[in-house]
Amino acid sequence: MAELRVPLIAGNWKMNLDHLQSIAFVQKLAWALKDAGYQEKQVEVAVFPPFTDLRSVQTLIGADDLPLALGGQDLSVHDDGAHTGDVSGVFLKALDCRYVIVGHSERRSDHHESDDVVAGKALAAVRNGLVPIVCVGETAEDLEQFGPSKVPLDQLAVVLDQLKSSDDYVVAYEPVWAIGSGQAATPDQAETVARALRAAIQDKHGADAAARTRILYGGSVKSGNIAGFMKRENVDGALVGGASLDVAEFSAIVRFPAHVTMDS
Ligand code: PEP
């Protein structure tokens, strides 16, 4: 992580917690972060509840002035119209979402989202004033066949072609084999790919974009391994799935600056 980029710890709840559970969860998370002396300027924390929870969580964050950013787990390439079941970036923006995840591997596999669709979603996010968190990552088969960086770089290239150098976006390197498997990449592996992704941003969008764009690692991140990732120059945070559903574990991940100098 480099000083000029505020680290982002993003909790992707996936299809967990209904709107009532989400309220109780966010209240507990806010208390845990307060107890731990959480500093918003040091680390940004964002939560990504299911769509049906967004209004409840937005209301709670607003009413209690909680230091949490809100994001959607997906959005439509369209802003309105006859697209049953899709959710518009216009609507996410109206709910005070700051971020939206695009191209998560579960969307790519469950809904056959192509790189072009992911790029269209990133564009829809930016068009609506949302910051897309663009997920890229290789499967175990890709890793064996092409090594670690090729697939993530190819996926990112399609998105970068659609965005402008002035656009604000985040990239999440999430090796598919590490998601939900309990087998995280090593910090060295994450840094190698993050460095390659940053170089690609520099080639396409210039040095300023490369210097300011945050690159997250995701895949079986826990409180016990976050420090190792955050010590790396090109890793600026984490996209956390399973561990984001455990208040104690997630708030310990957010507190990584307290243990980033320890061996991990
Ligand atoms: C994810 O869903 O983006 C993720 C990284 O999941 P997990 O942390 O459970 O591996």
Side-chain angles (χ1 to χ4, degrees):
M1 114 195 129
E3 296 263 310
L4 77 159
R5 299 185 288 270
V6 176
L8 172 63
I9 302 293
N12 173 18
W13 297 0
K14 311 195 186 196
M15 200 169 70
N16 294 289
L17 306 182
D18 66 24
H19 72 290
L20 295 175
Q21 292 167 321
S22 77
I23 293 171
F25 182 89
V26 168
Q27 279 168 335
K28 280 191 211 143
L29 179 61
W31 289 328
L33 293 177
K34 197 170 171 204
D35 279 355
Y38 164 65
Q39 303 276 339
E40 211 178 338
K41 286 199 183 84
Q42 219 179 10
V43 182
E44 185 182 8
V45 180
V47 291
F48 295 78
F51 290 129
T52 50
D53 300 3
L54 284 172
R55 176 66 177 147
S56 305
V57 177
Q58 178 215 12
T59 304
L60 183 59
I61 290 174
D64 293 354
D65 198 19
L66 303 180
L68 295 172
L70 189 59
Q73 295 180 14
D74 182 44
L75 85 170
S76 172
V77 296
H78 306 287
D79 289 347
D80 57 26
H83 306 288
T84 303
D86 285 354
V87 173
S88 166
V90 177
F91 305 159
L92 295 179
K93 188 66 186 173
L95 288 171
D96 295 333
C97 285
R98 187 180 301 165
Y99 295 103
V100 62
I101 297 171
V102 298
H104 192 281
S105 67
E106 288 151 16
R107 299 288 316 173
R108 292 179 189 263
S109 61
D110 293 358
H111 300 276
H112 312 289
E113 288 187 7
S114 65
D115 292 340
D116 287 331
V117 167
V118 174
K121 290 186 172 194
L123 203 54
V126 167
R127 184 168 69 237
N128 287 297
L130 299 160
V131 178
I133 297 187
V134 181
C135 298
V136 296
E138 80 288 355
T139 63
E141 295 74 35
D142 293 334
L143 183 64
E144 207 173 298
Q145 204 178 343
F146 307 113
S149 299
K150 185 186 172 347
V151 168
L153 283 170
D154 288 350
Q155 290 172 336
L156 184 63
V158 181
V159 176
L160 293 184
D161 273 348
Q162 295 294 322
L163 298 180
K164 297 195 297 293
S165 55
S166 55
D167 289 336
D168 200 3
Y169 56 89
V170 173
V171 178
Y173 168 53
E174 296 211 303
V176 180
W177 48 268
I179 295 178
S181 66
Q183 190 205 336
T186 65
D188 277 352
Q189 286 172 312
E191 171 65 14
T192 299
V193 180
R195 195 186 312 118
L197 293 169
R198 196 174 303 287
I201 294 169
Q202 170 141 357
D203 283 352
K204 187 74 191 175
H205 287 166
D208 280 0
R212 73 166 187 272
T213 298
R214 289 172 294 178
I215 299 179
L216 315 183
Y217 166 75
S220 297
V221 168
K222 307 232 171 345
S223 60
N225 61 19
I226 183 67
F229 294 111
M230 296 310 297
K231 280 185 211 168
R232 298 313 171 112
E233 194 188 331
N234 286 289
V235 178
D236 306 309
L239 182 52
V240 184
S244 75
L245 295 166
D246 179 324
V247 168
E249 186 63 9
F250 189 60
S251 56
I253 291 170
V254 171
R255 289 198 310 273
F256 74 84
H259 48 109
V260 82
T261 51
M262 286 163 45
D263 288 341
S264 48

PDB file of all heavy atoms in Angstrom, residues 60-76:
ATOM      1  N   LEU A  60     -29.769   3.846   8.183  1.00  0.00           N
ATOM      2  CA  LEU A  60     -29.004   3.720   9.431  1.00  0.00           C
ATOM      3  C   LEU A  60     -27.708   4.526   9.366  1.00  0.00           C
ATOM      4  O   LEU A  60     -27.366   5.257  10.313  1.00  0.00           O
ATOM      5  CB  LEU A  60     -28.703   2.230   9.665  1.00  0.00           C
ATOM      6  CG  LEU A  60     -27.989   1.855  10.939  1.00  0.00           C
ATOM      7  CD1 LEU A  60     -28.781   2.307  12.158  1.00  0.00           C
ATOM      8  CD2 LEU A  60     -27.795   0.334  10.980  1.00  0.00           C
ATOM      9  N   ILE A  61     -26.997   4.395   8.264  1.00  0.00           N
ATOM     10  CA  ILE A  61     -25.742   5.146   8.108  1.00  0.00           C
ATOM     11  C   ILE A  61     -26.022   6.645   8.204  1.00  0.00           C
ATOM     12  O   ILE A  61     -25.308   7.382   8.881  1.00  0.00           O
ATOM     13  CB  ILE A  61     -25.055   4.794   6.757  1.00  0.00           C
ATOM     14  CG1 ILE A  61     -24.507   3.368   6.779  1.00  0.00           C
ATOM     15  CG2 ILE A  61     -23.944   5.795   6.440  1.00  0.00           C
ATOM     16  CD1 ILE A  61     -23.946   2.878   5.443  1.00  0.00           C
ATOM     17  N   GLY A  62     -27.101   7.073   7.532  1.00  0.00           N
ATOM     18  CA  GLY A  62     -27.451   8.505   7.536  1.00  0.00           C
ATOM     19  C   GLY A  62     -27.881   8.981   8.907  1.00  0.00           C
ATOM     20  O   GLY A  62     -27.414  10.015   9.392  1.00  0.00           O
ATOM     21  N   ALA A  63     -28.747   8.206   9.567  1.00  0.00           N
ATOM     22  CA  ALA A  63     -29.306   8.642  10.858  1.00  0.00           C
ATOM     23  C   ALA A  63     -28.223   8.721  11.925  1.00  0.00           C
ATOM     24  O   ALA A  63     -28.209   9.637  12.750  1.00  0.00           O
ATOM     25  CB  ALA A  63     -30.403   7.678  11.296  1.00  0.00           C
ATOM     26  N   ASP A  64     -27.318   7.749  11.938  1.00  0.00           N
ATOM     27  CA  ASP A  64     -26.292   7.696  12.992  1.00  0.00           C
ATOM     28  C   ASP A  64     -24.941   8.247  12.522  1.00  0.00           C
ATOM     29  O   ASP A  64     -23.942   8.141  13.236  1.00  0.00           O
ATOM     30  CB  ASP A  64     -26.121   6.253  13.494  1.00  0.00           C
ATOM     31  CG  ASP A  64     -27.370   5.763  14.226  1.00  0.00           C
ATOM     32  OD1 ASP A  64     -28.293   6.582  14.421  1.00  0.00           O
ATOM     33  OD2 ASP A  64     -27.430   4.574  14.570  1.00  0.00           O
ATOM     34  N   ASP A  65     -24.917   8.771  11.316  1.00  0.00           N
ATOM     35  CA  ASP A  65     -23.682   9.335  10.747  1.00  0.00           C
ATOM     36  C   ASP A  65     -22.516   8.349  10.872  1.00  0.00           C
ATOM     37  O   ASP A  65     -21.443   8.684  11.388  1.00  0.00           O
ATOM     38  CB  ASP A  65     -23.361  10.671  11.454  1.00  0.00           C
ATOM     39  CG  ASP A  65     -22.387  11.506  10.642  1.00  0.00           C
ATOM     40  OD1 ASP A  65     -22.257  11.241   9.431  1.00  0.00           O
ATOM     41  OD2 ASP A  65     -21.736  12.391  11.233  1.00  0.00           O
ATOM     42  N   LEU A  66     -22.754   7.127  10.443  1.00  0.00           N
ATOM     43  CA  LEU A  66     -21.750   6.066  10.588  1.00  0.00           C
ATOM     44  C   LEU A  66     -20.644   6.213   9.531  1.00  0.00           C
ATOM     45  O   LEU A  66     -20.922   6.580   8.388  1.00  0.00           O
ATOM     46  CB  LEU A  66     -22.405   4.684  10.452  1.00  0.00           C
ATOM     47  CG  LEU A  66     -23.544   4.379  11.431  1.00  0.00           C
ATOM     48  CD1 LEU A  66     -24.098   2.979  11.183  1.00  0.00           C
ATOM     49  CD2 LEU A  66     -23.055   4.515  12.869  1.00  0.00           C
ATOM     50  N   PRO A  67     -19.422   5.894   9.899  1.00  0.00           N
ATOM     51  CA  PRO A  67     -18.300   6.058   8.964  1.00  0.00           C
ATOM     52  C   PRO A  67     -18.177   4.871   8.011  1.00  0.00           C
ATOM     53  O   PRO A  67     -17.137   4.213   7.941  1.00  0.00           O
ATOM     54  CB  PRO A  67     -17.094   6.140   9.908  1.00  0.00           C
ATOM     55  CG  PRO A  67     -17.490   5.290  11.066  1.00  0.00           C
ATOM     56  CD  PRO A  67     -18.979   5.408  11.215  1.00  0.00           C
ATOM     57  N   LEU A  68     -19.255   4.599   7.296  1.00  0.00           N
ATOM     58  CA  LEU A  68     -19.267   3.449   6.376  1.00  0.00           C
ATOM     59  C   LEU A  68     -19.743   3.910   5.015  1.00  0.00           C
ATOM     60  O   LEU A  68     -20.733   4.649   4.921  1.00  0.00           O
ATOM     61  CB  LEU A  68     -20.240   2.368   6.880  1.00  0.00           C
ATOM     62  CG  LEU A  68     -19.917   1.676   8.194  1.00  0.00           C
ATOM     63  CD1 LEU A  68     -21.091   0.782   8.611  1.00  0.00           C
ATOM     64  CD2 LEU A  68     -18.645   0.832   8.054  1.00  0.00           C
ATOM     65  N   ALA A  69     -19.069   3.439   3.977  1.00  0.00           N
ATOM     66  CA  ALA A  69     -19.563   3.692   2.623  1.00  0.00           C
ATOM     67  C   ALA A  69     -20.439   2.513   2.222  1.00  0.00           C
ATOM     68  O   ALA A  69     -20.266   1.392   2.706  1.00  0.00           O
ATOM     69  CB  ALA A  69     -18.392   3.843   1.658  1.00  0.00           C
ATOM     70  N   LEU A  70     -21.373   2.816   1.317  1.00  0.00           N
ATOM     71  CA  LEU A  70     -22.327   1.801   0.887  1.00  0.00           C
ATOM     72  C   LEU A  70     -22.098   1.484  -0.593  1.00  0.00           C
ATOM     73  O   LEU A  70     -21.738   2.368  -1.375  1.00  0.00           O
ATOM     74  CB  LEU A  70     -23.740   2.367   1.095  1.00  0.00           C
ATOM     75  CG  LEU A  70     -24.937   1.457   0.925  1.00  0.00           C
ATOM     76  CD1 LEU A  70     -24.879   0.274   1.892  1.00  0.00           C
ATOM     77  CD2 LEU A  70     -26.229   2.259   1.174  1.00  0.00           C
ATOM     78  N   GLY A  71     -22.316   0.217  -0.949  1.00  0.00           N
ATOM     79  CA  GLY A  71     -22.164  -0.138  -2.359  1.00  0.00           C
ATOM     80  C   GLY A  71     -23.137  -1.220  -2.767  1.00  0.00           C
ATOM     81  O   GLY A  71     -23.652  -1.976  -1.926  1.00  0.00           O
ATOM     82  N   GLY A  72     -23.388  -1.298  -4.068  1.00  0.00           N
ATOM     83  CA  GLY A  72     -24.210  -2.368  -4.628  1.00  0.00           C
ATOM     84  C   GLY A  72     -23.312  -3.513  -5.097  1.00  0.00           C
ATOM     85  O   GLY A  72     -22.138  -3.311  -5.388  1.00  0.00           O
ATOM     86  N   GLN A  73     -23.886  -4.700  -5.157  1.00  0.00           N
ATOM     87  CA  GLN A  73     -23.099  -5.877  -5.575  1.00  0.00           C
ATOM     88  C   GLN A  73     -23.061  -6.037  -7.090  1.00  0.00           C
ATOM     89  O   GLN A  73     -22.305  -6.871  -7.613  1.00  0.00           O
ATOM     90  CB  GLN A  73     -23.674  -7.148  -4.947  1.00  0.00           C
ATOM     91  CG  GLN A  73     -23.559  -7.194  -3.443  1.00  0.00           C
ATOM     92  CD  GLN A  73     -24.142  -8.463  -2.855  1.00  0.00           C
ATOM     93  OE1 GLN A  73     -24.419  -9.431  -3.554  1.00  0.00           O
ATOM     94  NE2 GLN A  73     -24.349  -8.469  -1.552  1.00  0.00           N
ATOM     95  N   ASP A  74     -23.874  -5.253  -7.790  1.00  0.00           N
ATOM     96  CA  ASP A  74     -23.981  -5.375  -9.247  1.00  0.00           C
ATOM     97  C   ASP A  74     -24.841  -4.217  -9.733  1.00  0.00           C
ATOM     98  O   ASP A  74     -25.457  -3.512  -8.913  1.00  0.00           O
ATOM     99  CB  ASP A  74     -24.640  -6.720  -9.601  1.00  0.00           C
ATOM    100  CG  ASP A  74     -24.756  -6.955 -11.099  1.00  0.00           C
ATOM    101  OD1 ASP A  74     -23.763  -6.683 -11.814  1.00  0.00           O
ATOM    102  OD2 ASP A  74     -25.826  -7.383 -11.564  1.00  0.00           O
ATOM    103  N   LEU A  75     -24.882  -3.975 -11.017  1.00  0.00           N
ATOM    104  CA  LEU A  75     -25.844  -3.029 -11.596  1.00  0.00           C
ATOM    105  C   LEU A  75     -26.086  -3.406 -13.041  1.00  0.00           C
ATOM    106  O   LEU A  75     -25.351  -4.232 -13.605  1.00  0.00           O
ATOM    107  CB  LEU A  75     -25.353  -1.573 -11.486  1.00  0.00           C
ATOM    108  CG  LEU A  75     -24.418  -1.019 -12.562  1.00  0.00           C
ATOM    109  CD1 LEU A  75     -24.263   0.483 -12.409  1.00  0.00           C
ATOM    110  CD2 LEU A  75     -23.058  -1.685 -12.547  1.00  0.00           C
ATOM    111  N   SER A  76     -27.120  -2.807 -13.619  1.00  0.00           N
ATOM    112  CA  SER A  76     -27.443  -3.054 -15.019  1.00  0.00           C
ATOM    113  C   SER A  76     -26.556  -2.202 -15.926  1.00  0.00           C
ATOM    114  O   SER A  76     -26.105  -1.131 -15.525  1.00  0.00           O
ATOM    115  CB  SER A  76     -28.916  -2.684 -15.259  1.00  0.00           C
ATOM    116  OG  SER A  76     -29.225  -2.740 -16.628  1.00  0.00           O
TER     117      SER A  76
END
